């Protein structure tokens, strides 16, 4: 998702619009493993400013609930722990009003237009 957002932001900038004021937040669904240091290391792999959010299990569960997001721990047959979770980008205008979402595998041109719509 972050790769898609980065690519879309590049296109927005190529179209002459500035995405510099956008605030991109990435929230973990696995706060036990995603420490602030691990989130910072992961997010440093992307060429854009992203703030990583984590907290205790209750705080993360509360935030997920507030967004209507889903996350459930799943153990694979080999014993690995993964998370099944919803994957959406929530778009808000600068005034705090909800604009819409970008959903997983949405066509790239839609992602670009949705980002443009919140910075126009």
């Amino acid at each position: 998702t972050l790769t898609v957002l980065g690519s879309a932001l590049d296109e927005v900038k190529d179209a002459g619009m500035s995405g510099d004021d956008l605030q991109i937040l990435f929230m973990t669904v696995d706060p036990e493993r995603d420490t602030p240091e691990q989130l910072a290391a992961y997010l440093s792999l992307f060429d854009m400013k992203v703030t990583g959010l984590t907290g205790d299990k209750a705080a993360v569960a509360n935030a997920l609930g507030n967004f209507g997001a889903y996350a459930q721990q799943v153990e694979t047959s080999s014993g690995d722990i993964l998370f099944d979770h919803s994957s959406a980008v929530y778009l808000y205008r600068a005034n705090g009003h909800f604009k819409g979402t970008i959903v997983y595998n949405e066509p790239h041109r839609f992602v670009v237009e949705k980002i443009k719509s919140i910075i126009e």
Side-chain angles (χ1 to χ4, degrees), residues 3-24:
T3 301
V4 169
L5 284 177
S7 175
L9 284 171
D10 288 343
E11 286 190 41
V12 166
K13 289 176 184 176
D14 289 346
M17 300 177 78
S18 174
D20 294 342
D21 290 338
L22 290 177
Q23 183 179 21
I24 302 171

Side-chain angles (χ1 to χ4, degrees), residues 23-101:
Q23 183 179 21
I24 302 171
L25 306 174
F26 174 91
M27 187 180 83
T28 183
V29 297
D30 185 4
E32 291 181 334
R33 293 187 288 187
D34 289 340
T35 64
E37 297 79 19
Q38 288 169 316
L39 280 176
Y42 173 67
L43 296 174
S44 73
L45 300 173
F46 299 92
D47 189 26
M48 61 185 170
K49 189 176 91 179
V50 182
T51 301
L53 302 176
T54 189
D56 62 32
K57 285 176 94 171
V60 170
N62 186 47
L64 288 170
N66 287 336
F67 282 97
Y70 163 83
Q72 181 170 341
Q73 186 174 322
V74 177
E75 186 172 348
T76 67
S77 59
S78 62
D80 292 328
I81 302 295
L82 304 175
F83 275 82
D84 180 26
H85 60 83
S86 51
S87 178
V89 175
Y90 298 87
L91 301 170
Y92 288 83
R93 293 188 182 276
N95 63 8
H97 290 115
F98 179 71
K99 171 66 175 163
T101 58

